[in-house]
Amino acid sequence: MGVTFSSWQTPFSDAKIEIIDLCFGNGGVDSQIDEHGSFKKDAERSIGMSDLSVRVLVYETREVCQLHYKDVFAFRVVDEGGLNEIWQATSEQGGRPGETTFRVAGHTWSKENEFGFANVSEQGAFMLATDWDCLEVLCIEPPEIKVLEKI
């Protein structure tokens, strides 16, 4: 079986976006040490131990959106050049369901991570594709998406 794509509809499925930052696990980059030497978490970005929070900028609407993935088995952020197999399949299949957001299965990473992919549907991982970086997330449910602000 080769690379397969399926739809993942988001408010920005075909829009140009940029990944601003991401935070994995409880606290992540938003944890700080307070004046007493204890960890203090940013309540806005506090997430569960296996959760992934990602902020993106949607250029067309000038909105900063947060995607909150729960119960993540694995994720990877790669340069768009590291996904030649997916880009080749896109070309061979005449496109994919979304330019920016879609699901993918049957590629090399799915074979390298058989345990994780066995726990999700046949539709595969959730993919965010930008002009520079791509985020591939392996989890069962799509992330919750909310608009944080308009800039």
Side-chain angles (χ1 to χ4, degrees), residues 3 5 19 22 24 52 54 69 72-87 102 104-113 117 125-130 132-139:
V3 177
F5 299 108
I19 297 172
L22 59 88
F24 180 71
L52 177 68
V54 181
Y69 300 85
V72 173
F73 291 102
F75 72 94
R76 66 180 184 159
V77 179
V78 293
D79 178 273
E80 46 84 23
L83 298 167
N84 290 332
E85 177 184 26
I86 292 173
W87 306 149
F102 55 94
V104 63
H107 55 310
T108 302
W109 194 48
S110 67
K111 295 169 188 136
E112 293 170 347
N113 194 347
F117 274 83
F126 294 91
M127 178 72 84
L128 278 177
T130 76
W132 298 102
D133 300 309
C134 297
L135 172 66
E136 188 171 2
V137 181
L138 193 53
C139 59

Side-chain angles (χ1 to χ4, degrees), residues 83-100:
L83 298 167
N84 290 332
E85 177 184 26
I86 292 173
W87 306 149
Q88 182 177 350
T90 298
S91 178
E92 290 170 358
Q93 296 177 31
R96 55 183 184 256
E99 186 66 25
T100 303

Side-chain angles (χ1 to χ4, degrees), residues 30-117:
D30 292 310
S31 293
Q32 303 172 26
I33 297 177
D34 66 16
E35 64 276 2
H36 306 291
S38 300
F39 279 104
K40 179 176 86 174
K41 292 181 284 194
D42 181 341
E44 285 289 311
R45 303 263 337 259
S46 183
I47 59 177
M49 291 300 285
S50 62
D51 291 1
L52 177 68
S53 175
V54 181
R55 290 188 306 166
V56 299
L57 171 62
V58 182
Y59 285 105
E60 293 172 7
T61 60
R62 301 188 54 82
E63 293 173 329
V64 175
C65 295
Q66 180 181 36
L67 293 85
H68 183 173
Y69 300 85
K70 294 182 179 178
D71 302 318
V72 173
F73 291 102
F75 72 94
R76 66 180 184 159
V77 179
V78 293
D79 178 273
E80 46 84 23
L83 298 167
N84 290 332
E85 177 184 26
I86 292 173
W87 306 149
Q88 182 177 350
T90 298
S91 178
E92 290 170 358
Q93 296 177 31
R96 55 183 184 256
E99 186 66 25
T100 303
T101 61
F102 55 94
R103 295 189 74 174
V104 63
H107 55 310
T108 302
W109 194 48
S110 67
K111 295 169 188 136
E112 293 170 347
N113 194 347
E114 288 183 39
F115 174 76
F117 274 83

